[in-house]
Amino acid sequence: MAHLGKDNQALIMRIRRMVGQLQAVERSLNEGEDCAKVLLQSAAVRGAVNGFIDELIEDHLRTHVSAPDLSDAEREDGVQAVITAIRRYAK
């Protein structure tokens, strides 16, 4: 079911920004920053991860569930993959 080759660079850039955000959280902890600052930075990381996951889910649904040329079996595989991911994410 791989399909992420078409816009990988944008996804990679998002990951790099998330890594930078996590590094900022680590620096803040190491430097003894105020807990409110660390909390806000952590919330920003969570938002970035959620946005990344939303984008992946949308792309998956468009490619592996709603594309008109899919067989019923391919469509069902796509649905099951997204259900599994959402259940794992929601834990």
Side-chain angles (χ1 to χ4, degrees):
M1 276 195 198
H3 68 270
L4 293 173
K6 58 187 169 193
D7 199 18
N8 268 1
Q9 198 56 39
L11 294 173
I12 290 168
M13 292 305 296
R14 287 183 78 132
I15 292 291
R16 288 181 181 157
R17 285 192 297 275
M18 286 187 280
V19 168
Q21 288 176 310
L22 283 169
Q23 289 171 335
V25 171
E26 181 181 20
R27 278 192 305 275
S28 292
L29 290 170
N30 284 331
E31 295 169 4
E33 292 284 348
D34 180 66
C35 62
K37 179 179 178 179
V38 176
L39 181 60
L40 287 173
Q41 288 174 318
S42 299
V45 170
R46 181 180 181 190
V49 170
N50 285 343
F52 177 76
I53 290 171
D54 288 348
E55 190 170 322
L56 290 176
I57 289 171
E58 179 182 345
D59 190 47
H60 179 84
L61 289 172
R62 291 186 188 283
T63 305
H64 297 290
V65 177
S66 67
D69 60 333
L70 295 173
S71 69
D72 288 343
E74 289 170 321
R75 198 174 311 279
E76 181 60 26
D77 287 347
V79 167
Q80 287 305 314
V82 100
I83 288 170
T84 300
I86 288 172
R87 284 184 177 155
R88 185 170 298 158
Y89 177 68
K91 285 185 176 185

